[in-house]
């Protein structure tokens, strides 16, 4: 759904991530303390979590970043998310 230019609407897209994939991502993040993802939203699977799409990892980490649970760094076409103390408490 696209809004015409100049109409003042904001397009909101929500991604639903299955609970099983969320648990796998959260578990990996908690165990390792860091999550790495290639900057490729169209990759079928994540580098380390083979049965989880890379886009779902990126979007879930984006959500955690906006809440202050992880800190993001970007280098050489890879995203790195580091768990914060608040993130440890949350998970």
């Amino acid at each position: 759904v696209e809004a015409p230019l100049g109409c003042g609407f904001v397009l909101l897209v929500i991604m639903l991530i299955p609970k099983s994939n969320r648990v796998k991502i959260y578990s990996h993040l908690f165990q390792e303390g860091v999550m790495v993802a290639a900057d490729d939203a169209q990759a079928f699977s994540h580098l380390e979590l083979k049965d989880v799409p890379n886009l779902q990892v990126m979007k879930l980490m984006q959500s955690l970043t906006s809440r202050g649970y992880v800190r993001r760094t970007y280098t050489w076409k890879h995203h790195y998310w580091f768990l914060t103390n608040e993130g440890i408490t949350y998970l």
Side-chain angles (χ1 to χ4, degrees):
V1 176
E2 290 187 27
L5 294 176
C7 67
F9 292 107
V10 175
L11 181 64
L12 178 64
V13 178
I14 297 174
M15 174 174 249
L16 299 176
I17 300 174
K19 185 175 182 177
S20 61
N21 287 357
R22 274 188 284 130
V23 169
K24 290 175 189 174
I25 295 168
Y26 287 157
S27 297
H28 182 76
L29 178 63
F30 188 73
Q31 290 172 358
E32 300 296 324
V34 64
M35 179 68 74
V36 180
D39 190 16
D40 184 8
Q42 296 184 8
F44 182 72
S45 66
H46 184 258
L47 298 171
E48 297 169 347
L49 305 171
K50 297 297 182 192
D51 53 344
V52 178
N54 200 43
L55 180 61
Q56 290 181 359
V57 173
M58 291 171 61
K59 289 301 177 183
L60 192 57
M61 291 294 106
Q62 180 182 9
S63 174
L64 292 177
T65 302
S66 70
R67 292 188 261 168
Y69 296 145
V70 294
R71 179 178 48 87
R72 184 181 78 86
T73 303
Y74 182 78
T75 305
W76 289 85
K77 291 194 172 192
H78 283 78
H79 297 275
Y80 297 88
W81 293 277
F82 301 96
L83 198 56
T84 62
N85 291 334
E86 293 81 12
I88 293 171
T89 304
Y90 174 74
L91 294 179

